[in-house]
Amino acid sequence: MTDTGSPSIETMLLEERRYPPDPEFAAQANAPAEIYERGFEEFWEAEGRERVSWYEPFTELYEWEPPYAKWYLGGKLNVAYNCVDRHVEAGLGDRVAYFWEGEPVEDRRTITYADLQAEVVRFANALKSLGVGKGTPVGIYMGMVPELPVAMLACARLGAPHTVVFGGFSADSLAGRLNDMGCEVLVTQDEGWRRGQPVPLKQNADEALESSRSVRSVVVLRRTGGDVAWREGRDVWWHDVAKDDSECPPEPVDSEHLLYLLYTSGTTAKPKGIVHTSAGYLVGTASTHRYIFDLKPETDVYWCAADVGWVTGHSYIVYGPLCNAATSVLYEGTPDFPDQARWWEIVERYGVTVLYTAPTAIRAHMKWGPEHAQKHDLASLRLLGSVGEPINPEAWVWYREHVGADRTPVVDTWWQTETGMILITPLPGVTTLKPGSATRPFPGIDAAVYDDDGDEVGPGAGGYLVLRRPWPAMLRGIHNDHERYVETYWSRFDGVYFAGDGARLDEDGDFWLLGRVDDVMNVSGHRISTIEVESALVDHPTVAEAAVCGRTDAVTGQAIVAYVTLKGGQDPSVDALEELRNHVARKIGPIAKPANVVFTPELPKTRSGKIMRRLLRDVAENRPLGDTTTLADPTVVEEIKTRAEAEQGDE
Ligand code: PRX
């Protein structure tokens, strides 16, 4: 890969701060230094036995027929049993599973493992009464309420695969996912809360269901009590159907039974249904959760401040932590509601010991200033984590100093929806930390950096991040799309998984992630494809053509810039601009709203008619333009530059 001169590369070269593990932390850590010496098979065999309880033990560790892997073959288990029932059986019924904090202050619940078991059984019985059984696909479209993990676990208990759709997605996005999976039941709620405002989840769901014919029943949780439309015969209230306490034995399933699909953006407009199965996923998330977050289930209060609607929440709010019998915080709202100290108030109230969040949130807190954290007692914190995008060293150091009292390790964890579990990460009692580096592959993970020709680069060089051996929680494909699976992940280099990220190895062989190398943007740690936003724009009746790219943003990592050509006779007014931004929010969700829209009479194209996004990125980043010799009309970019600058001047 050519060195693009991006700021992350320069920063990396200058970044020389080092944080060796604190001996006291190291002495009590779950992961000792020798963990790296364990062989691949030895490590995953032992993890398979120790993290999970089996109805029937596995007989074969894994099977690798590229590009498909299977893990823990021959085994039978139930994921919900592992996450809930076995802890109650082991006498941990009184341990808190979740401290739930609603967005409205004072809206709180403490849910023990025994409570969780009772709720999961009741809801599994409810789903059963609606005809859900092993293999029935269920959609879940909710906010951060305790009933969201309950619904996921109830599905897992019955062997019914779920797809959770992030509550910030639009009706269109929801419909696309429900249809792709063929969901028969949808679980939703009347409304959610976001910054004091109700979010109309049931209304969005109703709209989605106009084009999702496979859904025959809708279960609605009452959260806000707001009015909702009702379709008799299809809609039922959660509290009406989830009453039956009678036994609902967990369904034993094969290791490779489908646990869930989670949709993620790629380089085309259609989101991909990433396939995750039961045993390998559970072992992988539980193992990484235990070693990387050094989880001590008896004493830790762990808080992953992500949304369950993204993979981070699936793996590190629900399945990994519950499998490990952890006590977690589950928070419904935003970090700045009702004020910017809300997170720190939560840390103090519950005595949070481990906090896992995203660089975009850390940068928001930096912007608001350290005084909010200073108002609260954060002495309980002993470990901090980061995920979702490269963390700039300044944010890393700020996080450690202002949240972690310059005392806690910060683990920067690299992974993806597809990987299911963290793959590149420090181990807090072992690794010398470097702000901005995810450091090394987790034990049992074979990651490397390749150059353009597929040769492994040595220390000090950059290229493409690849994985050379399968891992337990890896995706088992893209739902109903073998070709796209092969094309997306397995075609760039022979026989290895290509993640789509650039990386560099430093002189010590530590990994520094450099962001995506394709047309996928990373906004607040969430992947959004340029083409998906372009399609949403072109869907608007006034738009003739659109091209979208990301530009660096101090808080969200990347922000979306849209270049739009309107159809003849349309007025590029401020109203038109707002209308287009809102149109994208309606089509995909507010997260995909362009930060800027630049109206232009033409887009820069090659003589063969291809849009030159590279030049648009240069304009968006205010960089000198790269090679323009292949442009059909060189005046076009100059015109766009002038318009973009004029727009920035207006801000
Ligand atoms: O580009 C990488 C970035 O996020 C992408 C995966 O996004 P998603 O599937 O939405 O999952 C996000 C949460 C796991 C990756 O391809 N990414 C994630 N973590 C890091 C990161 N980039 C750099 N450093 C990280 N720690």
Side-chain angles (χ1 to χ4, degrees):
M1 194 173 70
T2 48
D3 187 315
T4 56
S6 79
S8 43
I9 295 174
E10 285 162 28
T11 320
M12 184 202 97
L13 294 177
L14 295 176
E15 182 51 59
E16 283 173 350
R17 284 168 283 197
R18 299 288 178 268
Y19 298 82
D22 169 19
E24 231 175 276
F25 192 107
Q28 59 82 63
N30 290 348
E34 65 74 27
I35 198 170
Y36 287 111
E37 289 157 26
R38 296 183 204 165
F40 170 83
E41 299 195 359
E42 177 201 1
F43 182 76
W44 288 121
E45 279 263 4
E47 290 302 302
R49 279 193 304 269
E50 286 165 27
R51 292 311 132 232
V52 164
S53 304
W54 301 87
Y55 296 120
E56 277 175 37
F58 55 92
T59 49
E60 196 186 338
L61 179 63
Y62 74 113
E63 176 193 289
W64 178 218
E65 289 177 4
Y68 291 100
K70 292 180 178 165
W71 280 84
Y72 303 112
L73 290 91
K76 277 198 190 300
L77 78 169
N78 181 279
V79 170
Y81 172 80
N82 272 279
C83 289
V84 185
D85 303 69
R86 64 167 176 159
H87 305 319
V88 179
E89 286 171 14
L92 303 176
D94 291 338
R95 178 178 298 168
V96 175
Y98 291 117
F99 287 114
W100 179 71
E101 169 108 358
E103 190 188 82
V105 186
E106 310 298 326
D107 232 354
R108 291 177 206 150
R109 277 170 68 186
T110 298
I111 298 146
T112 63
Y113 275 91
D115 298 334
L116 190 61
Q117 184 184 39
E119 291 224 20
V120 170
V121 164
R122 274 197 293 269
F123 197 61
N125 277 328
L127 287 174
K128 250 190 191 171
S129 73
L130 297 169
V132 174
K134 191 170 172 181
T136 314
V138 175
I140 303 177
Y141 180 61
M142 302 179 90
M144 287 284 284
V145 289
E147 288 80 359
L148 170 52
V150 168
M152 294 161 78
L153 293 163
C155 287
R157 186 176 199 87
L158 301 174
H162 59 67
T163 190
V164 178
V165 180
F166 170 57
F169 275 131
S170 66
D172 272 15
S173 299
L174 173 60
R177 288 156 171 80
L178 294 174
N179 289 336
D180 190 72
M181 193 177 186
C183 293
E184 293 179 28
V185 171
L186 174 65
V187 185
T188 186
Q189 60 190 68
D190 51 0
E191 297 170 321
W193 284 121
R194 189 171 170 82
R195 286 208 177 80
Q197 297 300 315
V199 181
L201 292 169
K202 171 67 162 66
Q203 191 186 315
N204 292 346
D206 284 337
E207 211 181 298
L209 292 183
E210 283 169 25
S211 56
S212 304
R213 299 276 165 235
S214 58
V215 176
R216 43 185 174 73
S217 305
V218 180
V219 185
V220 187
L221 174 80
R222 183 175 281 152
R223 165 68 186 112
T224 63
D227 280 342
V228 289
W230 206 252
R231 181 172 302 179
E232 285 304 332
R234 184 195 71 181
D235 301 350
V236 291
W237 284 111
W238 178 298
H239 55 259
D240 285 337
V241 287
K243 282 179 172 162
D244 178 2
D245 280 317
S246 59
E247 218 185 315
C248 177
E251 175 79 31
V253 299
D254 289 339
S255 289
E256 284 298 327
H257 185 72
L258 178 61
L259 178 63
Y260 69 78
L261 299 183
L262 185 60
Y263 287 82
T264 187
S265 294
T267 52
T268 74
K270 190 173 179 281
K272 304 175 283 208
I274 301 299
V275 177
H276 283 297
T277 58
S278 301
Y281 176 79
L282 193 63
V283 173
T285 53
S287 169
T288 46
H289 182 254
R290 172 179 155 80
Y291 294 122
I292 298 165
F293 299 111
D294 190 48
L295 187 87
K296 306 285 192 281
E298 304 77 23
T299 47
D300 273 321
V301 178
Y302 161 86
W303 182 18
C304 169
D307 194 290
V308 170
W310 308 108
V311 76
T312 306
H314 281 61
S315 297
Y316 297 109
I317 297 179
V318 182
Y319 292 114
L322 292 178
C323 188
N324 287 334
T327 295
S328 294
V329 170
L330 186 68
Y331 171 50
E332 184 182 37
T334 55
D336 54 353
F337 189 87
D339 59 47
Q340 295 158 349
R342 184 70 189 269
W343 270 24
W344 315 124
E345 191 187 312
I346 293 174
V347 169
E348 180 174 343
R349 176 170 315 123
Y350 301 106
V352 172
T353 56
V354 180
L355 175 65
Y356 189 31
T357 183
T360 185
I362 299 164
R363 290 190 297 262
H365 286 294
M366 278 171 82
K367 200 173 84 181
W368 299 330
E371 59 272 23
H372 304 288
Q374 279 154 14
K375 275 189 258 165
H376 292 275
D377 179 3
L378 309 184
S380 54
L381 287 169
R382 64 180 195 94
L383 176 58
L384 304 174
S386 168
V387 60
E389 54 178 310
I391 180 164
N392 31 324
E394 294 68 28
W396 193 104
V397 171
W398 190 94
Y399 191 28
R400 178 175 159 114
E401 288 183 351
H402 294 286
V403 182
D406 204 12
R407 168 178 56 76
T408 59
V410 175
V411 289
D412 174 10
T413 63
W414 178 90
W415 59 296
Q416 307 178 297
T417 306
E418 292 86 341
T419 70
M421 61 187 249
I422 297 168
L423 295 188
I424 303 185
T425 178
L427 291 177
V430 181
T431 316
T432 292
L433 304 169
K434 302 174 181 176
S437 170
T439 71
R440 7 186 344 189
F442 185 75
I445 299 302
D446 183 10
V449 179
Y450 278 10
D451 66 14
D452 273 310
D453 301 326
D455 293 322
E456 188 175 0
V457 308
Y464 305 93
L465 176 63
V466 299
L467 297 154
R468 297 186 290 199
R469 284 186 101 157
W471 60 98
M474 78 186 270
L475 75 169
R476 303 301 199 256
I478 296 176
H479 182 57
N480 280 343
D481 207 339
H482 168 74
E483 268 162 40
R484 196 172 172 199
Y485 175 59
V486 173
E487 158 74 25
T488 310
Y489 308 107
W490 302 94
S491 63
R492 182 66 184 81
F493 304 107
D494 235 13
V496 300
Y497 172 89
F498 171 49
D501 282 5
R504 224 176 140 85
L505 292 179
D506 68 14
E507 299 303 331
D508 304 324
D510 279 333
F511 288 70
W512 297 72
L513 278 304
L514 303 176
R516 305 286 308 177
V517 299
D518 53 21
D519 281 331
V520 176
M521 301 170 290
N522 191 323
V523 180
S524 298
H526 302 305
R527 276 155 63 177
I528 298 170
S529 84
T530 52
I531 297 172
E532 210 177 336
V533 180
E534 286 166 7
S535 305
L537 286 164
V538 175
D539 174 79
H540 193 274
T542 63
V543 174
E545 216 172 15
V548 160
C549 68
R551 69 160 160 78
T552 311
D553 183 274
V555 176
T556 57
Q558 281 196 301
I560 302 176
V561 184
Y563 300 88
V564 174
T565 306
L566 294 174
K567 288 182 182 156
Q570 300 292 332
D571 170 27
S573 61
V574 175
D575 285 351
L577 188 148
E578 270 316 300
E579 166 64 21
L580 288 184
R581 294 181 68 230
N582 291 332
H583 187 69
V584 174
R586 272 196 301 277
K587 294 298 291 183
I588 307 175
I591 189 155
K593 250 188 186 182
N596 313 67
V597 178
V598 180
F599 291 109
T600 165
E602 270 302 335
L603 292 170
K605 291 184 187 157
T606 60
R607 274 171 224 118
S608 60
K610 269 180 134 179
I611 297 173
M612 291 186 70
R613 290 192 171 70
R614 173 170 64 73
L615 295 179
L616 293 173
R617 281 196 286 268
D618 290 340
V619 174
E621 297 282 14
N622 260 326
R623 285 195 298 246
L625 297 179
D627 183 10
T628 55
T629 50
T630 52
L631 267 180
D633 178 357
T635 61
V636 170
V637 239
E638 286 309 321
E639 170 79 23
I640 293 178
K641 263 183 97 171
T642 316
R643 284 167 186 262
E645 278 158 17
E647 202 213 310
Q648 276 163 11
D650 289 346
E651 270 175 10

